[in-house]
Amino acid sequence: MIGEIVCSGFGGQGVLVAGMILAYAGMGQDKYVTWFPSYGAEMRGGTANCNVKISEDEIASPYVKEIDVLLAMNETSVDKFENQIKAGGVMVVNSSIVSPNRDFRSDIKVVKVPANEIARREANPKGLNIIMLGAMAGATEIFEPDYLKSAVDKYFADKGKVNPKNSLCFDAGINSCII
Amino acid sequence: MIGEIVCSGFGGQGVLVAGMILAYAGMGQDKYVTWFPSYGAEMRGGTANCNVKISEDEIASPYVKEIDVLLAMNETSVDKFENQIKAGGVMVVNSSIVSPNRDFRSDIKVVKVPANEIARREANPKGLNIIMLGAMAGATEIFEPDYLKSAVDKYFADKGKVNPKNSLCFDAGINSCII
Amino acid sequence: MEKISIDVSRCKGCGYCICVCPSGAITKSEEVSKKGYTVISVDESKCVQCGSCYKMCPDYVFQIF
Amino acid sequence: MEKISIDVSRCKGCGYCICVCPSGAITKSEEVSKKGYTVISVDESKCVQCGSCYKMCPDYVFQIF
Amino acid sequence: MAKTLMKGNEALAESALRAGCRFFSGYPITPQTEILEYMSWRMREVGGEFVQTESEVAGINMLFGASAAGARALTSSSGPGFSLKQEGISYLCGTELPAVIVDVMRIGSALGNVFQGQGDYWQLTRGGGHGDYRTIVLAPASVQENADMAYEAFDLAEKYTHPVLIASDAAIGQMVEAVELKDFHDHDINKYDWVIKGRKEGEDKRIAENVYYAMGADEYKDFLLEKYKRIEDNEQKWESVNTEDAEVVLVSYGISSRVCKEAVKIARKKGIKLGLIRLKTLWPFPKKAFDALTSDIAGFLCVEMSILGQMVDDVKLATDNKFPVKCYSEFSNVPDPAIIIERAEKMLLENGGRK
Amino acid sequence: MAKTLMKGNEALAESALRAGCRFFSGYPITPQTEILEYMSWRMREVGGEFVQTESEVAGINMLFGASAAGARALTSSSGPGFSLKQEGISYLCGTELPAVIVDVMRIGSALGNVFQGQGDYWQLTRGGGHGDYRTIVLAPASVQENADMAYEAFDLAEKYTHPVLIASDAAIGQMVEAVELKDFHDHDINKYDWVIKGRKEGEDKRIAENVYYAMGADEYKDFLLEKYKRIEDNEQKWESVNTEDAEVVLVSYGISSRVCKEAVKIARKKGIKLGLIRLKTLWPFPKKAFDALTSDIAGFLCVEMSILGQMVDDVKLATDNKFPVKCYSEFSNVPDPAIIIERAEKMLLENGGRK
Amino acid sequence: MKYSIPKTITNIESGWCPGCGHGIVTRLLAETTEELGISDKVIIVRDVACGSMQSGVVTYNNIGAAHGRTIAVAAGAKRIRKEDIVIANPGDGSAYSIGIESTMHAALRNENILALVVNNSVFGMTGGQMSPTTLPGQKTTSSPYGRDTSYNGNLLDIMKVLNTFDIAYLARGSVDSPSAVMKAKKYIKKALMMQQDNKGFCLVEILSPCPTNWGLSPEDSLKFIKEKQQEYFPLGEYVDKGGYDK
Amino acid sequence: MKYSIPKTITNIESGWCPGCGHGIVTRLLAETTEELGISDKVIIVRDVACGSMQSGVVTYNNIGAAHGRTIAVAAGAKRIRKEDIVIANPGDGSAYSIGIESTMHAALRNENILALVVNNSVFGMTGGQMSPTTLPGQKTTSSPYGRDTSYNGNLLDIMKVLNTFDIAYLARGSVDSPSAVMKAKKYIKKALMMQQDNKGFCLVEILSPCPTNWGLSPEDSLKFIKEKQQEYFPLGEYVDKGGYDK
Ligand SMILES: Cc1ncc(C[n+]2csc(CCOP(=O)(O)OP(=O)(O)O)c2C)c(N)n1
Ligand SMILES: Cc1ncc(C[n+]2csc(CCOP(=O)(O)OP(=O)(O)O)c2C)c(N)n1
Ligand code: SF4
Ligand code: SF4
Ligand code: SF4
Ligand code: SF4
Ligand code: SF4
Ligand code: SF4
Ligand SMILES: [Mg+2]
Ligand SMILES: [Mg+2]
C-alpha cells in the first residue's frame, strides 16, 4: 500500500480533480489505484471529498478508513477528517481559509498552505487544487515532486486543457510547504 | 354431492345465467354452491360455459370434472363436454341447432329439447336458457320442478326483471322433455 | 356471374353490406354458419359493382370484378 | 435604522438583490459565511424601501419596514 | 346478514367498502376488472371517491395521496398492471402508509393470459419493487375469504401502517359462491397522528416521506427488523387439513388449495394419509404450521400454478430442509386431484419415513 | 488496449458500445445518470440511437422494440426507476427477447437515497415483474467488471434470447479505476431468425409475442424448465478467495465483496481462517461454489447492504441448510472489515465445527 | 378485379366480433401498403387490446407490445429498421389513456412512425370500460349511468392536443360509410408516404364501431359514429406537412 | 412591516443553490396562502426533485411523492381532504416528462388542485439533464452539444396543450424581476382562490433560474429567462374561468 488519501473541500475548489490526478499519477507508475467520490445530495451541502488509494497490490475496498494524507481545503474538512488520519500521517491544510488558531493533532504532520493567496498571486483561481498537490508532493514521499508535476501536466494535456499557470501553481505549492 | 352441472352454448344464449339460477336455487335450499364461468378470450370465440356444483357439504374445487348434467345449447357444447358426462348422467340438448342425426353416447340419458322453436313459439327469444332449465327439471332429480320454477321467478324478481313469459318457457321445457 | 365473388364462410352477419348496397342486392340468407352467424347472400343480377360492400365488410367476404 | 432588516446568515450571495436595488443600497460585503458564500451588506441610508430585494431574494434575507 | 351469491371480485369490492374504504383508483385489466366496475357505481352510492385513472401507475399514486390523507384506500390489478404498481408499493412501504392492493393473478409473464395462475408468488412475497421491504400478503381461497380478507386487510394495514396485498386469482375472482358480508364500519380519516391534513396552529408538523429520514439510518435498521419480526410473529395464517396423522402434506394456497382439499378427501377415502397446509398468508409464510407437525412425514408436495415452483423454497426454508419437498406445478391447467394423489403416493414410496 | 482511468458507469457504457450496442433508451436517475449522459454524446459518435425517453416505462418499451428489431439494446436505471421497468422485463422474458438492463443500486425503498446499497437483491433474483420468470443477473465488483460484464451480457442475452440484468451499485458506478476495454465488435441486426423486420416474399412470418402462444402451454412448461435448468447448469459464476481451508466463509457480491476481500486479508494476517465466495452471478446462484467446499466449516456469513439480509435464504438453500448461516447487513454504511472479522470470530466460537 | 382482397390479408378468420371496425381498418392498411409497394417492409406493432387480433389476419411480421406501449415500441423498432415501415396500431385506450405519455413524446421527438389509432370510444378488449374518448352520456361498464364529465372527466381530443406540434401529419377518419372508408384510406396512405420520405410522426385516428360494447347493432353503431361520435371528434386533416395531395 | 417574511417560512436554511428560483416560488406560496388566510389548510405535495427541499423551508404539512407523481398524489389527497388546499409542486421534468400522463388526465378530470410547476428547463436535482423544456441550443449534461430539436425532440409548451381544456386556470409567470415576481404571485393567488371555490384544475408554471445547471451566474440566469426562456415560453394567462380579477 503506497497511500490512502482523502481530498476534501468546498464544491468548486477542485477536490475531485485533485484526487483524480493522484490516481492518474499512480496509474502512470503501474500502481493499482481507486478513486471514490462523495456525490449526490451530500455534495449539495457544499462539501465534496474523494477517497484515493494507490497501491502495489490489487485494492480490495476503495473506502479509505485510515488516512495517510489529507488534503483539507476548508475548515469542515479538518473537522470531518482530522481524526481519521493515521498517527504520523500528513494533513495539508488550506491556511487561507482554515483558521490558523485552531489546535491540530500533534501526532500528525500539518502543512499549512495559503492556497487562496497563492492562487490569487498566480492569477489562477482554479489552481487551488494544484497548489495543494504541490504542497503534498513536497511534504510526502508518495510521489516524486517532478513526477507528480509532469503527471498534472499530462492529465490536463490528455483532456486538451493545457494551462501553463498550473505548473507555476504546483511549484508555488511545493515552495510554500518547504518554507 | 347433489350435482355437478355444466351449462354450455353460444354467448348470448344465456348459459351463464342458467348456471347462476341453478346455483341460486341450490342456495335457496341451504346447499353449498359454486358457479364458475369460462371467460375472457375464450368467450370471444362464441362459446361460453359455466360449471355449477351443488352439494350438501362444503365444496372443495369449483371445477367440474365429471358431469352429472350437461345443458348443451349448441353443437360445440356436445363436442366438448359429452365425454365428460358420468355414465348414467343426463345431457339436455338444444335439438333446434344440434344436429339430430349425430350419435350420442348410449350410457347417458339424452333429452332433446327444440329450444329455439319453443322460444319462438313463446315469443321469448331470451328464454332459451329457461326452457333448458325446465327440461332439466323434468329430466333430473336435482330440483323439484316447482321449486326450480319458483327459483327462476325469484331470481329475476330479485334483479327487478320480472317476465311472465319465463314461466311459460319453463313449463314448455318440462313438457318438451316429458314428451 | 363474374360481377362479384363472395366467401360467406367468413361472414359474421353484421349487415353492413346490406345497408350500404345501393341496389339492394344483398340480403340475409337463411344459412347459419358454424359459429352461429346468419350469413348474407347476394343477388348478383342486381349488383352494380359499386364496391360499397367490399369497402364496408370487416371480414373480407367480397371481391368485385 | 428601521427601514430594513436583514439576516445575512441566510444569504447565499447570489446577488439578485444587488442587481435589482434601484438605489444601489446593496453591495457584496467582505464577509464569507460558514458555507463559503460572500454575503451582502446594505447601506440603509440609501434604501428607499421599494421591496425589490425582498421580492427577489430566494433565501428570505430581507424584511422591509 | 343473510348469505348472498356473489362473484369473488364483487364480494371483495363490497366488503372493502364495508370496511370503510372510501377511495378506489385503478385501471381495467382482466380478470380484475369487475372490482373496478363494481366500484364505478357502488363507491358513489356510499359517498366515496372512485377514479378510473389514466394508468396503473397513476392508480397507485392517487391511492398514495388518499392514504397519506387518511383514507382507507384500495387499488387492484393483475399481471402487467400489477407490475406497474411496484414502484408505488415500495413508496408505500418506505413511507409507512397503509393501503390495500389486490392482485387478481392471471397466468404468464408478458401478456400471458387472463386465466387463473399463481405465477406472481415471488413478486408478491419478495417485493417486486426496489429496496428492502416486505408486505403482508393474504391469500383467499373462496369468495367468502375474498370478502373477509378484504375487510381484515385494512385493519392489518393500519396496525402496521404498511401496505397489505391480497393475492387473489382469476378463479376466485370469477367464481360465484354464497357469501356473508360484514357490517358497515366507519373509518375516521383523522384517526391517526401521521395523517396529512392542513396543519393547525400548535400542531406538530407532519411529513409523509421515507420514515428513515426522520429516525436516522441506523435506527431505521433496527426499526425495520423489529417491525417485520413482529409481523412474522403475529400474522402467520393458515389452515391445516388432516395434518395430524398425514404422511404426505400438500402445501398450497388460493384456487390450487381447493383442488388439494378435494384430493385430500379422495385420498383419505382410499386410505392414503394425505394432509394439507393451506397458506392464508404468503408472507409472513406460516412457518408455525410446519413447526407443529410431527416428524413422521415422508415429504411435502407443493401444489401451485407456477411453472418454476415458486413456493418450494419457502417450504424448504420453513422446514429447515429436513424433509423432501417436491412440487406439482401447473401452468394453464388447474391442478388435477388425481395427479396430486399419484405424486403423493410416489413420495410415500420413495421416502417411506423421514429423510 | 492500454488501461485508462474510468468511472464505473462510463466504463460500462463504453464497453456496451464496444460489444455492438447501438441502442440506448433511458431516463436520468442518480447514481445511474452517467451511463445516460455518456451515451448522449458517445452513441451518436458510433452511429447508434440514443433516446432520453419521457420515463423509465417508455425507456424499457423503446428498448423492447429495438431488441425485437434485432439491435443490441441497453437501458439502465436505479431504485424507483428500475421498479418501473419490471413490467417491461416480464415482457422481454415472455417474448424471449435479449436485452441488457442495468440496475445501479442505491439504498432504500421509496425514494431512499442515492448512495450505494444492495436492497434490490430479491427484486433482481426473484423477478420484480409478474409471472414465472428468472433473469441472469451479473454482479460486477469493479470498474473492470462493470466493463467486462456489460460486454459479456449481450452474448449471454442472445445465447438464451433472454434479458440479462447487471446489478451494479452506486459505489462501483461512481468509483474510478484503471480499466482495459475490449475491442469493438460488430453486431449484425439480421443475425437471428427471430428478428422482426419487413417480411420478404417466401419468408416465414415472424411474430414477437409470448412464445407460449406458438408452442402451446404444455410444451412451454417443459421448454421453460429446461431453459432455466440449462442456464443454472452453465452460467453460475463466482470467485472463491481462500476458501480451501476456510473455517468461516463470507458470502458477498458487488461493493460489499470488496470490503470482504480486505477483511479476509486482515483476518489471514491475524491467523483467522476466513474465506470468501464472491457471487459474480446472483442468478443463477453459484451453488457450485458451495458444493466444492469441504465440510469443516463453522458457517457462512453473508455480508450485504440490505437490512433484511436478502441473500441469506439463497445461501441456506445452496447448502441444504447444513451449516449455520448468519448475516452482517448494513444499510447506509458500507460494511466494516473490523466488524466482519468480529462476527466471523463469533461464529467460530459458537460453531467450532460442523453443525 | 376492381376490388380484390389484398394479398396480405390471410384467410384465417379474424377473432373480432361481427361489425368490428378493426377489420375494416386492417384492410385499409393492407390495401395502402400494397398500393405503395411496401408490403415487404411493413412492421406492425400492435397492442394487447382488440387490435392484437390483427396479427392473425395479416401476413405482416409484427410485434405484440404491452398495453399502451405500441408507440414507444414502434419508435424503438423504427430507429433500428430505418428502411422498414413501422406502424403502431393502438386503440384509444392505449394511445390516450395509459400510453398518452408516449403519444405526446413520440410526437415531440417526431419519431418517423405512423400511429394508427382505432378509436372506438371504449376499452374494447376488457369488456367495454370507459376510455378517454367515451362520449358524454355514453354507458360503459365503468360508467354504468352514462359518462358524466363532471364525475368521469372530460374527453381527450388528440387533434386539439397535437394540433400545434411540429409533426408530419395528423388526421381523423372514420369507417361509418363507404365514402368515409375511402377518405380514411387516403389519410393512411398519405401518412405512409410521409414515413417513406422520412417526414416524421404521423397520427391517424379512425372512428370505429364496437357494436359489442356499445350495446348496439352493427348498423346502429354506424349511426352512432355519424351522429354522436363525430360531434365530439370531427373528421379531417389537422396537420399536414407533406404536400402529398395530388 | 411593508414586507415581512411569511410566518410559514421556517428559519431552517434551504438546501437550494445560490440564486435558485425554488426559493422565490416558495415564498410566493407562503405569502399568498397567508394573505388568503388558508395557511392552516395547505397540504403540499412535492416531487423528489429540487422542489422537495421546500419541505424544510415551510411549516406546512407535506407529502413526498415519487418523481413525476405529485399531481396524481395531490389529486388523491384532495379527494379525501376537500376542505384543505392541496398544492402539487413539481418541476418541469416531473410535470412534463415522466408525469405528463397525470398532468393531462388530472386536467381532463378537472381535479380541484393547483399544480405549481417550477420550470427551470432542466432536470435540476439529477445534475442538469435535458428536460422537455430545455431550449434549442441549450447545453445540458444529456445534450452536451446543445439541444438539437431534430435529434433531441421538440419542446413541450404545456400552455399550448392545455389551452383548449375545460379547466379553471392556466397561466405562466416568471421570477426574473421584482415585477415578474409580483405577477407570478397574482397568478398563484388567483389559482388558490379558485381552489377554495371548487373551480377545478389550475396549473401555474413559473419560469425559474437554475444557475447551477445552466452554468450561468445567478444574474445571467435572470437574463437567460428574460431573453431566451420567455421567447419559447411566453408569459401570461391562458385559461381563466374564474373571474377573480378585481
Ligand atoms: C398494463 C396493462 N393494463 C391493462 C391491461 C388490460 N387491457 C388490455 S387492452 C385494454 C384496453 C383496450 O382498449 P383500447 O386500447 O381502446 O383498445 P380496443 O380493445 O378498444 O381496440 C386494457 C385495459 C393490460 N393488458 N396491461
Ligand atoms: C422514477 C424516478 N425516475 C427518476 C428519478 C430521478 N429524478 C429525481 S428528480 C428528477 C428530475 C428533476 O427535474 P425536475 O422535475 O424538472 O425538477 P427540478 O429538480 O429541476 O426542480 C429525476 C430524473 C426518480 N427519483 N424517480
Ligand atoms: S358491389 Fe355494390 S351493388 Fe354490388 S353487391 Fe356490393 S354494394 Fe351491392
Ligand atoms: S359486411 Fe361482411 S361480415 Fe358483415 S354481413 Fe356483410 S358480408 Fe357478412
Ligand atoms: S428595499 Fe429597495 S431600495 Fe431598499 S435595499 Fe431593498 S431593493 Fe434597495
Ligand atoms: S438575493 Fe438574498 S441570497 Fe441573494 S445575495 Fe441578496 S440577500 Fe443574498
Ligand atoms: S369488443 Fe369491440 S373492438 Fe373488440 S373485437 Fe369486439 S367489436 Fe371489435
Ligand atoms: S440544482 Fe438548480 S433547481 Fe436545484 S437547487 Fe440548484 S439551482 Fe435550484
Ligand atoms: Mg378502444
Ligand atoms: Mg426542472
Side-chain angles (χ1 to χ4, degrees), chain A residues 87-158:
Chain A
V90 175
M91 173 162 71
V92 184
V93 164
N94 175 6
S95 59
S96 304
I97 57 173
V98 173
S99 150
N101 308 327
R102 68 183 284 161
D103 281 337
F104 295 106
R105 266 170 61 188
S106 56
D107 60 341
I108 58 172
K109 179 169 163 191
V110 178
V111 180
K112 298 180 190 170
V113 187
N116 287 32
E117 278 90 54
I118 298 176
R120 213 170 298 147
R121 196 176 67 214
E122 304 293 344
N124 188 9
K126 293 205 162 173
L128 275 182
N129 50 357
I130 311 297
I131 296 162
M132 298 290 283
L133 287 176
M136 171 185 154
T140 70
E141 312 276 85
I142 295 180
F143 293 108
E144 281 290 310
D146 283 351
Y147 171 70
L148 188 56
K149 187 174 167 185
S150 71
V152 169
D153 285 343
K154 197 149 174 298
Y155 178 86
F156 287 108
D158 281 5

Side-chain angles (χ1 to χ4, degrees), chain H residues 124-137:
Chain H
M125 178 52 111
T126 42
Q129 294 75 33
M130 189 182 72
S131 92
T133 53
T134 296
L135 307 187

Side-chain angles (χ1 to χ4, degrees), chain B residues 4-130:
Chain B
E4 309 208 348
I5 306 154
V6 168
C7 309
S8 176
F10 289 127
Q13 287 183 316
V15 289
L16 301 184
V17 171
M20 274 299 292
I21 292 171
L22 291 171
Y24 182 82
M27 190 183 66
Q29 296 187 330
D30 288 328
K31 308 267 174 20
Y32 287 91
V33 296
T34 59
W35 174 97
F36 188 79
S38 70
Y39 57 92
E42 216 179 68
M43 284 182 66
R44 211 173 286 278
T47 330
N49 69 74
C50 61
N51 290 193
V52 176
K53 287 194 179 184
I54 301 168
S55 167
E56 299 289 354
D57 308 313
E58 211 177 308
I59 298 167
S61 164
Y63 301 103
V64 172
K65 275 190 75 183
E66 302 190 324
I67 300 171
D68 291 311
V69 181
L70 174 66
L71 303 192
M73 316 244 307
N74 68 2
E75 197 91 37
T76 356
S77 304
V78 181
D79 298 345
K80 200 164 169 185
F81 294 112
E82 187 182 18
N83 282 333
Q84 282 182 42
I85 301 171
K86 284 182 197 158
V90 175
M91 173 161 73
V92 183
V93 165
N94 176 5
S95 59
S96 305
I97 56 172
V98 174
S99 152
N101 308 327
R102 67 183 287 165
D103 283 337
F104 295 108
R105 266 169 62 186
S106 54
D107 61 341
I108 59 172
K109 178 169 162 192
V110 178
V111 181
K112 297 179 189 170
V113 186
N116 288 31
E117 279 90 55
I118 298 176
R120 217 170 294 147
R121 199 176 65 214
E122 304 291 344
N124 188 8
K126 291 205 163 171
L128 275 183
N129 50 357
I130 310 296

Side-chain angles (χ1 to χ4, degrees), chain G residues 22 49 91-94 118-125 131 133:
Chain G
H22 277 288
D92 47 314
S94 173
V118 175
N119 177 358
N120 55 17
S121 285
V122 284
F123 287 5
M125 178 53 112
S131 91
T133 54

Side-chain angles (χ1 to χ4, degrees), chain H residues 91-93 118-124:
Chain H
D92 48 313
V118 175
N119 177 358
N120 55 17
S121 284
V122 284
F123 287 5

Side-chain angles (χ1 to χ4, degrees), chain A residues 34-35 39 59-60 63 65, chain F residues 114 116 170 176-177 258 334 336:
Chain A
T34 59
W35 173 97
Y39 57 93
I59 298 167
Y63 301 102
K65 276 190 73 183
Chain F
V114 298
Q116 59 272 38
V176 170
E177 290 183 301
R258 294 189 60 151
V334 175
D336 183 329

Side-chain angles (χ1 to χ4, degrees), chain E residues 27-30 33 56 77-82 84 106 111, chain F residues 87 91, chain G residues 22 47-51 66-69 90-95 98 118-126 129 131 210 213:
Chain E
Y27 190 81
I29 184 167
T30 316
T33 307
E56 287 86 353
S77 196
S78 299
F82 186 64
L84 287 172
R106 46 192 260 172
L111 178 59
Chain F
E87 184 207 26
Y91 265 84
Chain G
H22 277 288
D47 200 274
V48 308
C50 287
H67 177 49
R69 313 302 165 192
D92 47 314
S94 173
I98 190 172
V118 175
N119 177 358
N120 55 17
S121 285
V122 284
F123 287 5
M125 178 53 112
T126 42
Q129 295 75 32
S131 91
C210 175
N213 287 308

